[in-house]
PDB file of all heavy atoms in Angstrom:
ATOM      1  N   ILE A 273     -12.613  -3.207  -6.569  1.00  0.00           N
ATOM      2  CA  ILE A 273     -14.055  -3.350  -6.363  1.00  0.00           C
ATOM      3  C   ILE A 273     -14.813  -2.921  -7.609  1.00  0.00           C
ATOM      4  O   ILE A 273     -15.691  -3.632  -8.110  1.00  0.00           O
ATOM      5  CB  ILE A 273     -14.504  -2.501  -5.151  1.00  0.00           C
ATOM      6  CG1 ILE A 273     -13.834  -2.987  -3.877  1.00  0.00           C
ATOM      7  CG2 ILE A 273     -16.021  -2.548  -4.994  1.00  0.00           C
ATOM      8  CD1 ILE A 273     -14.055  -2.068  -2.689  1.00  0.00           C
ATOM      9  N   ASP A 274     -14.479  -1.751  -8.117  1.00  0.00           N
ATOM     10  CA  ASP A 274     -15.183  -1.222  -9.278  1.00  0.00           C
ATOM     11  C   ASP A 274     -14.921  -2.064 -10.517  1.00  0.00           C
ATOM     12  O   ASP A 274     -15.814  -2.241 -11.360  1.00  0.00           O
ATOM     13  CB  ASP A 274     -14.748   0.223  -9.506  1.00  0.00           C
ATOM     14  CG  ASP A 274     -15.476   0.867 -10.666  1.00  0.00           C
ATOM     15  OD1 ASP A 274     -16.718   0.970 -10.591  1.00  0.00           O
ATOM     16  OD2 ASP A 274     -14.817   1.256 -11.651  1.00  0.00           O
ATOM     17  N   ALA A 275     -13.705  -2.605 -10.647  1.00  0.00           N
ATOM     18  CA  ALA A 275     -13.379  -3.418 -11.822  1.00  0.00           C
ATOM     19  C   ALA A 275     -14.205  -4.691 -11.862  1.00  0.00           C
ATOM     20  O   ALA A 275     -14.543  -5.179 -12.951  1.00  0.00           O
ATOM     21  CB  ALA A 275     -11.889  -3.758 -11.820  1.00  0.00           C
ATOM     22  N   ALA A 276     -14.534  -5.246 -10.698  1.00  0.00           N
ATOM     23  CA  ALA A 276     -15.355  -6.462 -10.677  1.00  0.00           C
ATOM     24  C   ALA A 276     -16.714  -6.215 -11.322  1.00  0.00           C
ATOM     25  O   ALA A 276     -17.271  -7.095 -11.984  1.00  0.00           O
ATOM     26  CB  ALA A 276     -15.530  -6.944  -9.238  1.00  0.00           C
ATOM     27  N   THR A 277     -17.243  -5.002 -11.142  1.00  0.00           N
ATOM     28  CA  THR A 277     -18.515  -4.651 -11.780  1.00  0.00           C
ATOM     29  C   THR A 277     -18.342  -4.381 -13.267  1.00  0.00           C
ATOM     30  O   THR A 277     -19.116  -4.863 -14.101  1.00  0.00           O
ATOM     31  CB  THR A 277     -19.110  -3.410 -11.092  1.00  0.00           C
ATOM     32  OG1 THR A 277     -19.279  -3.683  -9.700  1.00  0.00           O
ATOM     33  CG2 THR A 277     -20.449  -3.041 -11.705  1.00  0.00           C
ATOM     34  N   ARG A 278     -17.309  -3.615 -13.603  1.00  0.00           N
ATOM     35  CA  ARG A 278     -17.096  -3.250 -15.002  1.00  0.00           C
ATOM     36  C   ARG A 278     -16.712  -4.441 -15.863  1.00  0.00           C
ATOM     37  O   ARG A 278     -17.005  -4.474 -17.062  1.00  0.00           O
ATOM     38  CB  ARG A 278     -16.003  -2.187 -15.089  1.00  0.00           C
ATOM     39  CG  ARG A 278     -16.413  -0.829 -14.519  1.00  0.00           C
ATOM     40  CD  ARG A 278     -15.257   0.142 -14.557  1.00  0.00           C
ATOM     41  NE  ARG A 278     -15.651   1.467 -14.113  1.00  0.00           N
ATOM     42  CZ  ARG A 278     -16.115   2.429 -14.906  1.00  0.00           C
ATOM     43  NH1 ARG A 278     -16.216   2.183 -16.211  1.00  0.00           N
ATOM     44  NH2 ARG A 278     -16.454   3.595 -14.436  1.00  0.00           N
ATOM     45  N   LEU A 279     -16.035  -5.436 -15.266  1.00  0.00           N
ATOM     46  CA  LEU A 279     -15.573  -6.600 -16.028  1.00  0.00           C
ATOM     47  C   LEU A 279     -16.530  -7.775 -15.927  1.00  0.00           C
ATOM     48  O   LEU A 279     -16.177  -8.895 -16.291  1.00  0.00           O
ATOM     49  CB  LEU A 279     -14.180  -7.022 -15.534  1.00  0.00           C
ATOM     50  CG  LEU A 279     -13.077  -5.972 -15.656  1.00  0.00           C
ATOM     51  CD1 LEU A 279     -11.773  -6.491 -15.056  1.00  0.00           C
ATOM     52  CD2 LEU A 279     -12.860  -5.563 -17.112  1.00  0.00           C
ATOM     53  N   GLY A 280     -17.718  -7.524 -15.428  1.00  0.00           N
ATOM     54  CA  GLY A 280     -18.710  -8.596 -15.347  1.00  0.00           C
ATOM     55  C   GLY A 280     -18.338  -9.706 -14.385  1.00  0.00           C
ATOM     56  O   GLY A 280     -18.613 -10.871 -14.658  1.00  0.00           O
ATOM     57  N   GLY A 281     -17.730  -9.348 -13.271  1.00  0.00           N
ATOM     58  CA  GLY A 281     -17.356 -10.348 -12.281  1.00  0.00           C
ATOM     59  C   GLY A 281     -15.968 -10.905 -12.451  1.00  0.00           C
ATOM     60  O   GLY A 281     -15.500 -11.665 -11.605  1.00  0.00           O
ATOM     61  N   LYS A 282     -15.280 -10.559 -13.542  1.00  0.00           N
ATOM     62  CA  LYS A 282     -13.916 -11.053 -13.748  1.00  0.00           C
ATOM     63  C   LYS A 282     -12.953 -10.350 -12.799  1.00  0.00           C
ATOM     64  O   LYS A 282     -13.167  -9.209 -12.406  1.00  0.00           O
ATOM     65  CB  LYS A 282     -13.477 -10.826 -15.199  1.00  0.00           C
ATOM     66  CG  LYS A 282     -14.248 -11.646 -16.216  1.00  0.00           C
ATOM     67  CD  LYS A 282     -13.742 -11.371 -17.623  1.00  0.00           C
ATOM     68  CE  LYS A 282     -14.511 -12.168 -18.656  1.00  0.00           C
ATOM     69  NZ  LYS A 282     -14.032 -11.893 -20.041  1.00  0.00           N
ATOM     70  N   SER A 283     -11.892 -11.039 -12.461  1.00  0.00           N
ATOM     71  CA  SER A 283     -10.911 -10.502 -11.529  1.00  0.00           C
ATOM     72  C   SER A 283      -9.880  -9.662 -12.280  1.00  0.00           C
ATOM     73  O   SER A 283      -9.306 -10.101 -13.270  1.00  0.00           O
ATOM     74  CB  SER A 283     -10.213 -11.647 -10.785  1.00  0.00           C
ATOM     75  OG  SER A 283      -9.227 -11.158  -9.907  1.00  0.00           O
ATOM     76  N   LEU A 284      -9.654  -8.439 -11.800  1.00  0.00           N
ATOM     77  CA  LEU A 284      -8.673  -7.550 -12.415  1.00  0.00           C
ATOM     78  C   LEU A 284      -7.261  -8.018 -12.089  1.00  0.00           C
ATOM     79  O   LEU A 284      -6.934  -8.291 -10.935  1.00  0.00           O
ATOM     80  CB  LEU A 284      -8.875  -6.119 -11.916  1.00  0.00           C
ATOM     81  CG  LEU A 284      -7.875  -5.069 -12.390  1.00  0.00           C
ATOM     82  CD1 LEU A 284      -7.959  -4.905 -13.915  1.00  0.00           C
ATOM     83  CD2 LEU A 284      -8.118  -3.735 -11.704  1.00  0.00           C
ATOM     84  N   ASP A 285      -6.429  -8.109 -13.105  1.00  0.00           N
ATOM     85  CA  ASP A 285      -5.048  -8.533 -12.909  1.00  0.00           C
ATOM     86  C   ASP A 285      -4.287  -7.462 -12.125  1.00  0.00           C
ATOM     87  O   ASP A 285      -4.387  -6.266 -12.424  1.00  0.00           O
ATOM     88  CB  ASP A 285      -4.371  -8.771 -14.262  1.00  0.00           C
ATOM     89  CG  ASP A 285      -3.023  -9.446 -14.122  1.00  0.00           C
ATOM     90  OD1 ASP A 285      -2.981 -10.678 -14.011  1.00  0.00           O
ATOM     91  OD2 ASP A 285      -2.009  -8.723 -14.127  1.00  0.00           O
ATOM     92  N   ILE A 286      -3.502  -7.893 -11.131  1.00  0.00           N
ATOM     93  CA  ILE A 286      -2.814  -6.933 -10.263  1.00  0.00           C
ATOM     94  C   ILE A 286      -1.759  -6.138 -11.017  1.00  0.00           C
ATOM     95  O   ILE A 286      -1.421  -5.021 -10.614  1.00  0.00           O
ATOM     96  CB  ILE A 286      -2.181  -7.635  -9.048  1.00  0.00           C
ATOM     97  CG1 ILE A 286      -1.103  -8.631  -9.489  1.00  0.00           C
ATOM     98  CG2 ILE A 286      -3.224  -8.301  -8.191  1.00  0.00           C
ATOM     99  CD1 ILE A 286      -0.324  -9.223  -8.330  1.00  0.00           C
ATOM    100  N   PHE A 287      -1.240  -6.671 -12.125  1.00  0.00           N
ATOM    101  CA  PHE A 287      -0.197  -5.947 -12.848  1.00  0.00           C
ATOM    102  C   PHE A 287      -0.759  -4.766 -13.634  1.00  0.00           C
ATOM    103  O   PHE A 287      -0.006  -3.867 -14.025  1.00  0.00           O
ATOM    104  CB  PHE A 287       0.574  -6.893 -13.767  1.00  0.00           C
ATOM    105  CG  PHE A 287       1.508  -7.794 -13.028  1.00  0.00           C
ATOM    106  CD1 PHE A 287       1.142  -9.089 -12.718  1.00  0.00           C
ATOM    107  CD2 PHE A 287       2.745  -7.334 -12.608  1.00  0.00           C
ATOM    108  CE1 PHE A 287       2.000  -9.921 -12.017  1.00  0.00           C
ATOM    109  CE2 PHE A 287       3.605  -8.154 -11.906  1.00  0.00           C
ATOM    110  CZ  PHE A 287       3.227  -9.456 -11.606  1.00  0.00           C
ATOM    111  N   VAL A 288      -2.075  -4.756 -13.862  1.00  0.00           N
ATOM    112  CA  VAL A 288      -2.694  -3.569 -14.438  1.00  0.00           C
ATOM    113  C   VAL A 288      -2.619  -2.421 -13.437  1.00  0.00           C
ATOM    114  O   VAL A 288      -2.259  -1.287 -13.773  1.00  0.00           O
ATOM    115  CB  VAL A 288      -4.155  -3.865 -14.832  1.00  0.00           C
ATOM    116  CG1 VAL A 288      -4.838  -2.593 -15.336  1.00  0.00           C
ATOM    117  CG2 VAL A 288      -4.224  -4.949 -15.895  1.00  0.00           C
ATOM    118  N   VAL A 289      -2.954  -2.720 -12.185  1.00  0.00           N
ATOM    119  CA  VAL A 289      -2.906  -1.701 -11.131  1.00  0.00           C
ATOM    120  C   VAL A 289      -1.463  -1.293 -10.847  1.00  0.00           C
ATOM    121  O   VAL A 289      -1.148  -0.100 -10.728  1.00  0.00           O
ATOM    122  CB  VAL A 289      -3.583  -2.227  -9.853  1.00  0.00           C
ATOM    123  CG1 VAL A 289      -3.548  -1.177  -8.749  1.00  0.00           C
ATOM    124  CG2 VAL A 289      -5.021  -2.640 -10.141  1.00  0.00           C
ATOM    125  N   ASN A 290      -0.571  -2.285 -10.727  1.00  0.00           N
ATOM    126  CA  ASN A 290       0.830  -1.977 -10.457  1.00  0.00           C
ATOM    127  C   ASN A 290       1.454  -1.135 -11.561  1.00  0.00           C
ATOM    128  O   ASN A 290       2.180  -0.171 -11.302  1.00  0.00           O
ATOM    129  CB  ASN A 290       1.627  -3.277 -10.298  1.00  0.00           C
ATOM    130  CG  ASN A 290       1.818  -3.664  -8.855  1.00  0.00           C
ATOM    131  OD1 ASN A 290       1.693  -2.839  -7.957  1.00  0.00           O
ATOM    132  ND2 ASN A 290       2.107  -4.925  -8.609  1.00  0.00           N
ATOM    133  N   SER A 291       1.181  -1.497 -12.806  1.00  0.00           N
ATOM    134  CA  SER A 291       1.830  -0.819 -13.931  1.00  0.00           C
ATOM    135  C   SER A 291       1.370   0.622 -14.065  1.00  0.00           C
ATOM    136  O   SER A 291       2.186   1.556 -14.070  1.00  0.00           O
ATOM    137  CB  SER A 291       1.555  -1.593 -15.228  1.00  0.00           C
ATOM    138  OG  SER A 291       2.061  -2.908 -15.155  1.00  0.00           O
ATOM    139  N   PHE A 292       0.054   0.819 -14.171  1.00  0.00           N
ATOM    140  CA  PHE A 292      -0.441   2.179 -14.381  1.00  0.00           C
ATOM    141  C   PHE A 292      -0.287   3.029 -13.121  1.00  0.00           C
ATOM    142  O   PHE A 292       0.000   4.229 -13.206  1.00  0.00           O
ATOM    143  CB  PHE A 292      -1.901   2.141 -14.842  1.00  0.00           C
ATOM    144  CG  PHE A 292      -2.077   1.636 -16.243  1.00  0.00           C
ATOM    145  CD1 PHE A 292      -2.554   0.358 -16.481  1.00  0.00           C
ATOM    146  CD2 PHE A 292      -1.745   2.441 -17.325  1.00  0.00           C
ATOM    147  CE1 PHE A 292      -2.706  -0.108 -17.776  1.00  0.00           C
ATOM    148  CE2 PHE A 292      -1.896   1.988 -18.623  1.00  0.00           C
ATOM    149  CZ  PHE A 292      -2.374   0.697 -18.850  1.00  0.00           C
ATOM    150  N   GLY A 293      -0.460   2.428 -11.944  1.00  0.00           N
ATOM    151  CA  GLY A 293      -0.256   3.183 -10.716  1.00  0.00           C
ATOM    152  C   GLY A 293       1.177   3.648 -10.562  1.00  0.00           C
ATOM    153  O   GLY A 293       1.449   4.819 -10.255  1.00  0.00           O
ATOM    154  N   SER A 294       2.130   2.733 -10.797  1.00  0.00           N
ATOM    155  CA  SER A 294       3.543   3.107 -10.685  1.00  0.00           C
ATOM    156  C   SER A 294       3.957   4.056 -11.804  1.00  0.00           C
ATOM    157  O   SER A 294       4.826   4.918 -11.619  1.00  0.00           O
ATOM    158  CB  SER A 294       4.422   1.847 -10.718  1.00  0.00           C
ATOM    159  OG  SER A 294       4.277   1.155 -11.949  1.00  0.00           O
ATOM    160  N   GLY A 295       3.344   3.917 -12.975  1.00  0.00           N
ATOM    161  CA  GLY A 295       3.659   4.817 -14.081  1.00  0.00           C
ATOM    162  C   GLY A 295       3.296   6.256 -13.755  1.00  0.00           C
ATOM    163  O   GLY A 295       4.095   7.181 -13.965  1.00  0.00           O
ATOM    164  N   PHE A 296       2.070   6.461 -13.253  1.00  0.00           N
ATOM    165  CA  PHE A 296       1.663   7.818 -12.882  1.00  0.00           C
ATOM    166  C   PHE A 296       2.453   8.317 -11.673  1.00  0.00           C
ATOM    167  O   PHE A 296       2.757   9.518 -11.581  1.00  0.00           O
ATOM    168  CB  PHE A 296       0.166   7.852 -12.590  1.00  0.00           C
ATOM    169  CG  PHE A 296      -0.685   7.899 -13.826  1.00  0.00           C
ATOM    170  CD1 PHE A 296      -1.477   6.814 -14.172  1.00  0.00           C
ATOM    171  CD2 PHE A 296      -0.687   9.018 -14.647  1.00  0.00           C
ATOM    172  CE1 PHE A 296      -2.269   6.846 -15.315  1.00  0.00           C
ATOM    173  CE2 PHE A 296      -1.463   9.060 -15.791  1.00  0.00           C
ATOM    174  CZ  PHE A 296      -2.260   7.971 -16.133  1.00  0.00           C
TER     175      PHE A 296
END
Side-chain angles (χ1 to χ4, degrees):
I273 298 171
D274 182 61
T277 302
R278 291 176 176 270
L279 300 177
K282 293 181 181 179
S283 178
L284 176 63
D285 190 83
I286 63 173
F287 286 98
V288 176
V289 180
N290 262 340
S291 300
F292 289 105
S294 62
F296 281 112

